[in-house]
Amino acid sequence: MAISSRPALLFDLDGTLIDSIGLLLECMQFAFADRTRRPSTAEWVAGIGTPLRTQLAEWCEGPDDVEAMVGRYRDYQDLHLERLTSPFPAVLETLAWARREGHATAIVTSKGQGMTWRSLRHVGLGEAFDAVVTFEETARHKPLPDPVFLALERLGATPDRAIFVGDSPHDMHAGRAAGVVTAAALWGPFSRDELAPAAPDHWLTDMSQLPGIVADLGN
């Protein structure tokens, strides 16, 4: 049984709810500091929204090297997460609105469980979600729909009554494949031109616009 008859609201985390892109870039730069073969900023940003190991694998020499780089990346992240993580404008207010109005809410992220919860608590969203789907919980990840399907299952929601808000093409592809309404957040690292090929159903220039999109769907 669905938690609410109102549309379920699913959200990506990094670049959508929290401004952590500077952190992710600094983590990459630290991890690759002593390497000549390393991604550019644009190349690393293009992979944000997919699992860290997937991003690193392209630039590493086999599984052991990937794990070593994961360790370096996470060591830096562990030290600097709070300094370089903050909520985007209108996020806290919009999530509070969703709770008041009785919308079921979920996080769908490729971030690991520990850093996800630490980030949410740091920005004041530790109690804002009915379900949190992280990297560890599905065998396949965005841009495939599996994490979105798991979030819907946990909420007791159906795709035709759900919206997925994300900032990356990976989010839009996952949402479309799952059959949910997609809304592209334009305040993340991806431009409208980069997001357009993923054909989002709605565009958001500010999180405060979400209630209007939900109203258009009908409550």
Side-chain angles (χ1 to χ4, degrees):
M1 179 180 295
I3 291 175
S4 170
S5 62
R6 300 187 176 215
L9 308 180
L10 282 57
F11 300 89
D12 173 54
L13 183 59
D14 294 289
T16 301
L17 298 182
I18 61 173
D19 186 356
S20 56
I21 303 306
L23 172 65
L24 303 186
L25 290 175
E26 285 195 19
C27 289
M28 178 274 288
Q29 291 160 358
F30 176 82
F32 285 93
D34 60 354
R35 301 200 175 199
T36 55
R37 184 172 179 266
R38 55 187 293 177
S40 66
T41 295
E43 287 168 329
W44 193 253
V45 167
I48 291 174
T50 60
L52 177 60
R53 285 176 175 83
T54 300
Q55 281 188 276
L56 289 170
E58 185 177 348
W59 303 93
C60 292
E61 306 299 328
D64 290 344
D65 193 28
V66 169
E67 292 308 310
M69 292 296 277
V70 167
R72 285 176 57 83
Y73 184 101
R74 288 184 172 165
D75 284 347
Y76 191 92
Q77 188 178 42
D78 186 56
L79 288 173
H80 299 282
L81 184 145
E82 283 76 14
R83 178 175 67 85
L84 292 169
T85 301
S86 59
F88 280 110
V91 163
L92 298 181
E93 296 86 348
T94 301
L95 265 296
W97 160 84
R99 304 303 276 175
R100 288 195 307 271
E101 294 296 316
H103 293 277
T105 56
I107 288 286
V108 182
T109 179
S110 295
K111 205 181 192 81
Q113 188 176 79
M115 289 299 180
T116 293
W117 280 107
R118 184 171 158 186
S119 299
L120 290 173
R121 293 183 182 115
H122 170 63
V123 300
L125 292 173
E127 305 295 327
F129 299 96
D130 300 299
V132 175
V133 175
T134 60
F135 163 78
E136 298 90 344
E137 298 179 79
T138 57
R140 303 193 309 171
H141 310 285
K142 296 182 288 186
L144 297 172
D146 302 39
V148 179
F149 283 139
L150 181 56
L152 293 173
E153 177 184 335
R154 290 182 174 175
L155 296 178
T158 57
D160 62 314
R161 296 288 291 164
I163 304 172
F164 184 26
V165 182
D167 69 295
S168 78
H170 317 296
D171 299 320
M172 299 300 99
H173 287 306
R176 181 168 293 279
V180 304
V181 173
T182 56
L186 290 172
W187 51 84
F190 295 91
S191 69
R192 190 180 185 113
D193 287 345
E194 290 169 320
L195 286 161
D201 297 303
H202 300 277
W203 297 95
L204 295 171
T205 57
D206 188 279
M207 187 63 84
S208 63
Q209 295 171 320
L210 183 61
I213 291 174
V214 173
D216 288 343
L217 289 180
N219 288 320

